[in-house]
Amino acid sequence: MAARVLVAFASKHGSTKGIAHSIGGALYSHGLQVRVLPAAIVHTVADYDAVVLGSAVYHDHWLWDGCRFLRRMNGELRDRPVWLFSSGPVGGTPDDDVRLVAVCGPDTAVPPCIERSLRGLDVLGHATFAGKVSDRALGMLERDIPRGDWRDFRQVGRWGRRVGEHAAANAHVTRPSVTRPSVTRPW
């Protein structure tokens, strides 16, 4: 049976959602069963063999839904491999465009804001991907950010395929089975 992988994401304007779906497609191409869902609606990861979690980053912090997912699911995440990604650095000026090259990539440091939530987890990697600022970004702190899409879907796809190769190769290493109580119906 193919490994089941959850790709959960926290996105404010949809850029991170697009990255999550691209990663899901790369995982699916490795024969994995993939589900891509907003982190806020995931109630359990018990049905998955591996988890990929990503969040948009604003002012060096993951969104609330991504951080909350890590806290809520911490116990269940301990039994399975986890990969993380952050989305958010943007360009628009010569200095910012140079910074993108330096901070984005497949093997980047985990943001300090979530390090504490990762204790005891089997985090196999973290990637940072450039983001997108759409015309819908009208928050007070977003108004002065240049508009544009700096996402590199080739880079996202390469990372997703790397995660997929690992998950597919280790599909035989399954997590402990979850025993669900049987329910006897009186009718």
Side-chain angles (χ1 to χ4, degrees):
M1 181 201 274
R4 296 164 298 195
V5 181
L6 170 67
V7 180
F9 63 90
S11 186
K12 188 171 182 180
H13 296 293
S15 174
T16 306
K17 176 182 178 180
I19 292 171
H21 280 278
S22 180
I23 292 168
L27 297 172
Y28 182 78
S29 73
H30 281 280
L32 302 169
Q33 295 179 22
V34 181
R35 193 110 193 252
V36 179
L37 296 170
I41 69 167
V42 177
H43 299 290
T44 182
V45 296
D47 294 332
Y48 301 99
D49 301 302
V51 175
V52 176
L53 174 63
S55 176
V57 175
Y58 284 84
H59 306 288
D60 297 324
H61 286 84
W62 268 29
L63 294 179
W64 170 251
D65 288 341
C67 294
R68 187 167 170 252
F69 179 93
L70 284 172
R71 286 192 303 277
R72 285 186 302 120
M73 300 297 160
N74 191 281
E76 291 182 38
L77 290 172
R78 290 174 188 266
D79 296 336
R80 55 200 35 82
V82 177
W83 287 269
L84 304 169
F85 71 92
S86 298
S87 161
V90 295
T93 67
D95 289 342
D96 287 341
D97 290 343
V98 169
R99 187 176 60 87
L100 278 182
V101 174
V103 300
C104 293
D107 296 308
T108 57
V110 171
C113 62
I114 61 169
E115 283 178 346
R116 189 169 162 195
S117 300
L118 301 177
R119 288 186 191 142
L121 301 185
D122 186 16
V123 178
L124 299 180
H126 175 266
T128 301
F129 301 115
K132 171 185 173 183
V133 180
S134 72
D135 292 333
R136 294 182 300 163
L138 300 175
M140 187 168 59
L141 298 174
E142 298 168 322
R143 290 183 191 148
D144 296 329
I145 299 173
R147 303 300 189 241
D149 189 348
W150 292 270
R151 296 174 295 178
D152 181 347
F153 284 103
R154 288 183 309 229
Q155 184 182 60
V156 172
R158 282 191 303 270
W159 187 77
R161 286 188 295 279
R162 194 167 91 182
V163 170
E165 287 169 7
H166 186 280
N170 293 292
H172 66 281
V173 181
T174 58
R175 58 180 163 60
S177 62
V178 176
T179 306
R180 295 196 168 101
S182 61
V183 176
T184 306
R185 306 211 187 272
W187 58 92

